[in-house]
Amino acid sequence: MNKVFLAVLLATALAAIEGTIVATAIPSITADLSGVELISWIYSAYLLASAIATILFGKLADIFGRKKMIIIGIGIFVTGSLLAGVSQSMVQLIIFRAIQGIGAGSILPITLTIVGELFSTEKARAKGQGYISMIWGVAGVIGPLLGGYLVDQLSWHYIFLLNVPFGLSALFLIARYYDEKVHKKKHHIDYLGAVIFSITVVTFLLSIIKGSNTGIWGSNEQIAYYAISLIGLFLFIRVELRAKEPIIPLTLFKNRRLMTVNGLTFMMMSIVISVSVYIPIYGQSILGNSATQAGLLIAPLTVMWTVSSVLVGTLVGRFSNKVIIQAGTLLLVIGTTMLAFLTTDSSYVYVGISTAVLGAGMGLIAPLIILTVQAAAKPDEVGISIGLNSFTNTFSQSLGAAFFGVLFNIMTSQPLRDLDKGEIQLNGSFDHQLFTKAEMNDLLHIITSGVQVVYIGAAVFAVIAFLLATMLQKNKVRH
């Protein structure tokens, strides 16, 4: 079992780091491959493919077994990584990043399911999920640092090629040591539902990505995206109601406990994206940090997320899962409220403490989310239930980024235009010769007000998360 768990941790680490390691390589990639106008698609292709794969592979794992599907998923990820590492054009890289995304999206729900099956007691499962959560937290810091080192010492190709030997090692360990009993029976795969779901999700996420990048939400193109998404949702529901084995059983949406947990996941991960995006902006624009220093403002969140994730295993059994999750959401309320009071004079230490409090809360919640899903789901729907939660995780970050972007722009767009100083970059590299002392003071207050409103919104999300935690029902743990 230890070797299988090691393989699961290794596969999780590959998927987690891949989400953050690319950022530091973007300048080198664009210099080598050109196509700077396609930069956003290096991220978007990965995100879209990953979001769809979490659902599809979660369901396929319920049908064909975890072992077979995780081997296929890691194989796809390794193949995508190898191809991305030898890309000769931006278009090739985007296509291969999508292949990587399919693999990464398959890894997340299946590894979480496998961990739940490897350990027999709730306390042991909590520790296992804590280590998985810790991997994701550490990846937030290690990814950019490792990416920067590989780019500086070798080339950007190696941030993808590095996945190959580790991925193959995880494949070997799972193929050799993971023993799974699959009950064979005839299945009816919902191909039509899968196709409609994929088209609908891609279209809706494209509308969010496009709107977030341009700030334009009412163009003809956007309206077309919305229309296709609504039609796709209507058709998907009709198909799923008639399917013998729907790709997403609509009965899942009647499971109050599952829906409460998914709502909690949505709120939590939306808050995470608000920190990932706007704390670096605050650090560079207001505190005058470099990009590296601003990025390190998030490090306390990662460290405390890791610490509290590991501690969860010792808390389970002493306190109910509901109490631990409530404590975590209360820390989210405190952390976001602290950030909502940021000013132009706030210190580096104050920001660090605020993000540390948030990280402690996240670490208490994340491992128990999956335990709660596993306890609430039917035995033959565990994979798709975790897949739906993983999809919510990805989806919430896209929607959260768009929502907070709208809040920030409402507070800053017009005041920045009123300064009449051209396009102002939010990286702190202002040309001070263009501004009088009063104008510079106004500029800092404008940006700070935008950040404050973002975290007022995040605090509302945190309060909703706390209320959802109080609604969690006690379920009998499934062994």
Side-chain angles (χ1 to χ4, degrees):
M1 183 181 2
N2 290 336
K3 292 177 181 177
V4 176
F5 187 51
L6 175 62
V8 166
L9 291 178
L10 185 55
T12 302
L14 292 175
I17 289 176
E18 197 56 39
T20 59
I21 196 173
V22 175
T24 51
I26 291 298
S28 297
I29 291 173
T30 53
D32 192 13
L33 302 181
S34 66
V36 66
E37 71 280 359
L38 299 175
I39 282 178
S40 64
W41 281 103
I42 296 177
Y43 301 101
S44 300
Y46 185 88
L47 171 69
L48 293 171
S50 178
I52 294 169
T54 54
I55 290 288
L56 300 185
F57 274 81
K59 179 63 177 180
L60 292 173
D62 283 337
I63 295 175
F64 298 110
R66 325 288 182 218
K67 181 174 182 177
K68 183 180 292 184
M69 298 317 299
I70 190 66
I71 287 175
I72 292 174
I74 296 175
I76 293 173
F77 182 79
V78 169
T79 301
S81 298
L82 178 61
L83 293 172
V86 297
S87 297
Q88 298 300 308
S89 71
M90 190 68 84
V91 173
Q92 285 183 5
L93 180 58
I94 290 168
I95 293 172
F96 300 147
R97 280 283 287 170
I99 295 174
Q100 261 194 313
I102 293 172
S106 69
I107 289 171
L108 177 57
I110 300 178
T111 52
L112 293 173
T113 307
I114 290 174
V115 170
E117 295 174 345
L118 284 177
F119 302 100
S120 58
T121 67
E122 185 182 29
K123 194 174 186 67
R125 285 196 291 270
K127 287 184 178 180
Q129 299 294 355
Y131 283 115
I132 292 289
S133 181
M134 179 188 72
I135 290 291
W136 283 91
V138 171
V141 173
I142 295 297
L145 295 177
L146 180 60
Y149 175 81
L150 290 174
V151 169
D152 290 340
Q153 301 299 319
L154 299 169
S155 80
W156 64 264
H157 297 275
Y158 286 89
I159 68 172
F160 302 112
L161 296 176
L162 183 69
N163 295 323
V164 176
F166 291 105
L168 292 176
S169 299
L171 265 179
F172 171 77
L173 290 173
I174 289 175
R176 177 70 176 82
Y177 297 106
Y178 183 31
D179 185 22
E180 180 192 25
K181 294 179 181 178
V182 180
H183 300 289
K184 294 185 178 180
K185 65 176 184 177
K186 187 176 181 180
H187 291 280
H188 300 83
I189 300 176
D190 182 18
Y191 293 108
L192 181 58
V195 171
I196 295 175
F197 172 79
S198 299
I199 293 172
T200 303
V201 170
V202 167
T203 304
F204 187 65
L205 287 178
L206 278 175
S207 72
I208 295 174
I209 292 168
K210 187 83 172 177
S212 299
N213 289 339
T214 64
I216 300 172
W217 298 92
S219 65
N220 291 336
E221 183 180 357
Q222 287 292 94
I223 293 172
Y225 284 142
Y226 304 148
I228 293 172
S229 300
L230 287 173
I231 294 170
L233 178 61
F234 173 75
L235 292 175
F236 179 69
I237 292 173
R238 288 198 62 181
V239 168
E240 297 304 274
L241 288 172
R242 297 177 181 180
K244 290 185 178 180
E245 289 190 51
I247 197 74
I248 303 179
L250 298 184
T251 53
L252 292 181
F253 296 95
K254 295 180 181 180
N255 187 322
R256 179 182 169 187
R257 189 171 173 84
L258 282 178
M259 290 303 99
T260 301
V261 172
N262 286 338
L264 183 57
T265 299
F266 185 94
M267 298 302 159
M268 182 179 79
M269 297 313 296
S270 295
I271 293 171
V272 169
I273 200 67
S274 76
V275 175
S276 300
V277 174
Y278 292 98
I279 289 301
I281 287 177
Y282 178 85
Q284 292 183 71
S285 300
I286 307 304
L287 300 182
N289 296 152
S290 66
T292 301
Q293 290 172 325
L296 288 175
L297 280 171
I298 305 175
L301 180 144
T302 303
V303 171
M304 290 307 300
W305 188 326
T306 301
V307 171
S308 57
S309 292
V310 174
L311 287 178
V312 162
T314 63
L315 295 176
V316 168
R318 299 182 183 181
F319 305 94
S320 70
N321 291 357
K322 180 176 180 177
V323 167
I324 297 172
I325 292 174
Q326 281 181 305
T329 56
L330 185 59
L331 289 174
L332 297 189
V333 173
I334 295 171
T336 51
T337 301
M338 289 178 69
L339 291 176
F341 282 94
L342 287 174
T343 68
T344 54
D345 298 319
S346 295
S347 68
Y348 198 97
V349 173
Y350 181 85
V351 179
I353 292 173
S354 304
T355 57
V357 170
L358 282 175
M362 300 292 179
L364 291 178
I365 300 168
L368 297 182
I369 289 275
I370 299 303
L371 287 186
T372 308
V373 170
Q374 290 171 326
K378 296 178 181 179
D380 61 344
E381 292 180 347
V382 171
I384 183 57
S385 297
I386 292 179
L388 183 59
N389 183 263
S390 299
F391 172 78
T392 303
N393 185 321
T394 303
F395 182 78
S396 64
Q397 293 183 61
S398 300
L399 204 58
F403 174 75
F404 292 123
V406 169
L407 290 182
F408 186 80
N409 289 333
I410 287 174
M411 293 301 297
T412 62
S413 293
Q414 189 58 50
L416 288 176
R417 282 196 294 268
D418 290 342
L419 283 177
D420 194 26
K421 298 295 181 180
E423 186 176 349
I424 297 173
Q425 301 296 323
L426 300 180
N427 59 4
S429 58
F430 310 126
D431 186 349
H432 288 248
Q433 294 181 348
L434 294 176
F435 300 90
T436 64
K437 186 174 181 179
E439 288 174 337
M440 179 59 69
N441 189 53
D442 288 342
L443 175 60
L444 297 181
H445 278 92
I446 290 168
I447 297 172
T448 302
S449 68
V451 173
Q452 287 173 339
V453 170
V454 164
Y455 289 111
I456 289 172
V460 172
F461 277 33
V463 170
I464 295 173
F466 177 77
L467 295 176
L468 289 171
T470 64
M471 294 166 57
L472 282 174
Q473 300 169 331
K474 290 185 179 180
N475 261 28
K476 206 170 185 180
V477 178
R478 299 181 189 277
H479 294 287

